[in-house]
Amino acid sequence: MEVALHYAIRIAKDLAENNKGAHILIVVSEVTLAGMHDPSETNIDVLVCHSLFGDGSSALIVDADPVASVEKPIFELVSIAPVLVHDSFEAICGAIREGISNWSSIFWAAHLGGLAILDQIQAKLSLEPEKLYATRHVLGEYGNMSSVTVLFVLDEMRKKPTKDGLKTTGEGLEWAVLLFGFGLGLTNEMLVIHSVNIA
C-alpha cells in the first residue's frame, strides 16, 4: 500500500539524520497481477481495478549529509505527518486544510489514484491544469502501481524541469506539496518537500 512507502521514508529520514554518513536505500516493488481476476459482467469493481492498477518498481536513497562533489540531491524532505481520518472505515477521502490561499503557487507530487480522484483534487483546490502534469503523465504511461507510483511521479518531476530549462526540480518553484498516499483506516501520509537546484 502507498502509505507503507511513506512510513519507510519517515524511518529512513530518522536513520539518516541520527547516523552520520548513513545512506538509506529504499526499494519499492508492487505486483498487482497477484490480484488478477477473470472479467466479470456483473462485478464492475474487477474491471475498475484492472483498468487502474499496474505493476512497477523503483528506488531512492535518503541521506542527511550529501557529499557535494559526488552526490546531486533531487529533493529535500522537510517534514512528514501521518493523519488518521476518524470515522473513515469505508472512505477514500480526506480534507487538506492549510494556511495557503493559492494552491497553484507550489508544486505537486501527488499519488495518482485515478482520473476521477485527480479531477476532484484539481477542482477542489482550483489548481492550474499543469499542476498535476507529472501525476497525470505517470497515470497515462504506467497506471496506478500503488506505493511505487509516488516515486515514478518524483522521477518525472526530476526529468521534466531539466527538459524545460528550469532551475529547480520543482517546476521552478521552491516548495512542494505533499506526497500524499492513502492507507487503511483511512490514513493519509503527508510529506512536505523542498526543491533543489538542478545545476
Side-chain angles (χ1 to χ4, degrees):
M1 301 202 60
E2 54 266 20
V3 76
L5 171 61
H6 297 91
Y7 292 145
I9 292 174
R10 185 184 329 141
I11 292 168
K13 179 178 185 290
D14 289 344
L15 286 171
E17 289 175 343
N18 291 291
N19 295 278
K20 188 165 180 62
H23 293 71
I24 314 300
L25 173 65
I26 299 174
V27 178
V28 184
S29 185
E30 289 286 352
V31 181
T32 58
L33 183 63
M36 186 74 174
H37 296 283
D38 294 334
S40 170
E41 294 181 6
T42 57
N43 189 346
I44 192 70
D45 290 345
V46 172
L47 179 61
V48 170
C49 286
H50 292 336
S51 64
L52 284 181
F53 295 99
D55 299 341
S57 295
S58 191
L60 72 152
I61 296 174
V62 178
D63 70 42
D65 302 300
V67 180
S69 61
V70 179
E71 300 171 315
K72 291 189 175 181
I74 299 172
F75 296 103
E76 177 187 7
L77 181 57
V78 178
S79 68
I80 305 172
V83 180
L84 177 63
V85 181
H86 298 290
D87 299 323
S88 59
F89 178 68
E90 295 181 353
I92 291 290
C93 62
I96 299 172
R97 293 187 175 88
E98 183 59 59
I100 185 169
S101 58
N102 179 7
W103 289 102
S104 289
S105 66
I106 54 181
F107 67 95
W108 286 78
H111 189 281
L112 49 91
L115 282 176
I117 292 173
L118 294 179
D119 290 344
Q120 285 297 309
I121 291 169
Q122 186 171 333
K124 294 288 183 184
L125 298 177
S126 301
L127 293 178
E128 296 167 3
E130 67 274 11
K131 284 292 144 184
L132 295 176
Y133 162 79
T135 300
R136 290 183 186 276
H137 175 78
V138 169
L139 177 62
E141 291 293 313
Y142 307 101
N144 185 335
M145 300 165 284
S146 198
S147 62
V148 73
T149 302
V150 170
L151 299 183
F152 275 63
V153 172
L154 281 179
D155 189 48
E156 181 61 26
M157 295 194 81
R158 173 187 66 85
K159 293 186 287 192
K160 188 173 186 300
T162 303
K163 292 178 197 170
D164 294 348
L166 299 174
K167 294 181 180 178
T168 70
T169 52
E171 301 172 357
L173 300 172
E174 184 177 2
W175 288 100
V177 131
L178 339 158
L179 282 160
F180 54 83
F182 302 103
L184 298 176
L186 174 74
T187 304
N188 293 337
E189 192 77 15
M190 309 284 190
L191 286 73
V192 178
I193 56 177
H194 185 257
S195 61
V196 299
N197 290 332
I198 293 171

